[in-house]
Amino acid sequence: MTATAEIRRLRGPRASVAADVPQAVWDETETASAGVGVCTRVMLLTGGECRFTCSMCDLWRHTLPTPTPRGSLPAQIRQGLALPAADGQPPRWVKLYNSSNFFDSRSVPEDDLPAITELVAPFERVVVENHPRLLGDTVLRFRDACRGRLEVAMGLETAEPKALASLNKQMTLDDFQSGCERLRGEGIDTRAFVLLGVPGIPAAEAVGWCLESVAFAFACGVRHVSIVPLRAGNGWVDRLLADGSLRLPTAGDLEAVAAGSFALPRPAGRVVTTDLWDFERLAGSCGGCRALRRERVDLMNRAQAVASLPALSCGCLS
């Protein structure tokens, strides 16, 4: 396991953030099932830093070094809800992502939960993020207070045990599986983040282990698996890139994972999507093919099936 002190030593500067202003708010079409999209309000909230220091994570840059002030999150959510709906279509789902753990009182004061549940009462589904080891009774109280269906998103990252340990997540595969079982038993849906390009896994095995991790998540009963390519910009990751021991995933890797995930056995109602955030920064595409390659992955996300890429005379295509 990578030492917490070493990970923090390699960090760059923290961004300047305000405790009463959300980082970003937007509407997106969330895939609910094959060909079915749901307008979703996404809020990136500002709060206290996660208590876990994962080596590959860069979310800490936009968090507070102190606990979240009481009343801050409800104020931010009110601002996020006051924005007009995209294309005039009212969002039906909401994601409250705070770059940390929603059920850690350092990041989300318990006294604020009643106000938050009132604010999100109109939504059919409420998605929050949390660590599998922080699933106490607060989760159940929040579920009971929510009118919509609660979904908890958790970072699995990888099903390769040694690589998982090196990420300093302070979590095992058993922890993740147990967390999923507990939530499912309480009528709470789960979502998993799976990392493509995990440090400690050779680049030639990155796609294969990513697909193994998607399969593991589905075996744990996860409703929605979100595949996220590893990003540069975090000090520990940047050091590995500099010494040649790590290679970031390419556009071809992302396409291969997106297509391969649909060949995996999965029960009805399960969804897998590939994160296209910063797709333009991935190596292995150019101005002649980048837009079409992104469109192909986006189509697979929406259709939940493999999509063909139009023929191109482009050397980037693999």
Side-chain angles (χ1 to χ4, degrees):
M1 180 181 293
T2 310
T4 295
E6 176 69 2
I7 296 167
R8 289 181 172 272
R9 184 184 69 80
L10 293 169
R11 285 179 170 183
R14 189 187 297 268
S16 176
V17 296
D20 57 350
V21 179
Q23 297 169 43
V25 180
W26 71 90
D27 288 347
E28 65 183 16
T29 301
E30 173 87 0
T31 299
S33 60
V36 178
V38 177
C39 185
T40 301
R41 178 63 52 96
V42 183
M43 301 189 201
L44 302 186
L45 305 172
T46 304
E49 182 183 342
C50 176
R51 68 168 64 201
F52 302 99
T53 306
C54 300
S55 60
M56 78 298 172
C57 181
D58 59 1
L59 299 178
W60 56 269
R61 293 184 300 177
H62 298 278
T63 61
L64 303 170
T66 60
T68 305
R70 187 177 301 174
S72 165
L73 295 179
Q76 293 179 53
I77 294 169
R78 288 188 192 96
Q79 293 177 55
L81 294 179
L83 296 177
D87 301 323
Q89 181 182 4
R92 293 163 48 198
W93 294 6
V94 64
K95 295 180 183 176
L96 305 177
Y97 286 169
N98 62 325
S99 301
S100 184
N101 301 292
F102 196 82
F103 299 109
D104 183 346
S105 59
R106 185 183 191 281
S107 301
V108 180
E110 284 197 46
D111 288 349
D112 284 345
L113 292 177
I116 292 173
T117 55
E118 282 299 314
L119 289 167
V120 301
F123 295 97
E124 300 170 12
R125 181 176 294 271
V126 179
V127 185
V128 300
E129 56 188 341
N130 204 65
H131 193 281
R133 289 179 53 198
L134 299 177
L135 296 172
D137 292 341
T138 306
V139 183
L140 306 184
R141 291 194 293 272
F142 187 75
R143 174 208 59 189
D144 292 342
C146 281
R147 299 180 195 172
R149 181 83 172 186
L150 178 60
E151 179 168 308
V152 177
M154 301 182 290
L156 167 61
E157 319 307 350
T158 182
E160 206 290 312
K162 292 182 180 179
L164 178 60
S166 75
L167 297 180
N168 198 42
K169 286 191 68 72
Q170 302 175 53
M171 177 196 85
T172 65
L173 295 177
D174 286 343
D175 290 331
F176 183 86
Q177 185 173 25
S178 296
C180 289
E181 289 174 353
R182 179 165 194 259
L183 292 171
R184 190 169 65 252
E186 296 290 351
I188 300 170
D189 288 333
T190 53
R191 179 179 302 224
F193 297 118
V194 167
L195 194 62
L196 171 62
V198 178
I201 294 179
E205 300 176 18
V207 169
W209 269 111
C210 186
L211 292 174
E212 289 279 353
S213 303
V214 172
F216 177 80
F218 281 138
C220 291
V222 167
R223 186 195 72 84
H224 186 146
V225 178
S226 178
I227 300 169
V228 182
L230 179 71
R231 295 188 295 259
N234 191 37
W236 187 76
V237 170
D238 293 341
R239 185 182 68 174
L240 297 181
L241 292 170
D243 67 21
S245 59
L246 177 67
R247 189 207 77 182
L248 292 178
T250 66
D253 293 334
L254 200 68
E255 287 182 77
V257 163
S261 63
F262 297 113
L264 298 173
R266 53 178 171 150
R270 306 296 170 83
V271 173
V272 56
T273 55
T274 305
D275 189 353
L276 289 168
W277 190 274
D278 283 343
F279 179 84
E280 293 74 16
R281 296 174 60 185
L282 296 178
S285 67
C286 68
C289 71
R290 187 172 297 118
L292 283 172
R293 301 186 79 162
R294 190 186 191 285
E295 181 182 354
R296 179 190 180 216
V297 178
D298 182 53
L299 178 59
M300 286 192 278
N301 284 343
R302 290 183 278 117
Q304 293 295 289
V306 178
S308 298
L309 182 68
L312 289 171
S313 57
C314 176
C316 292
L317 296 179
S318 56

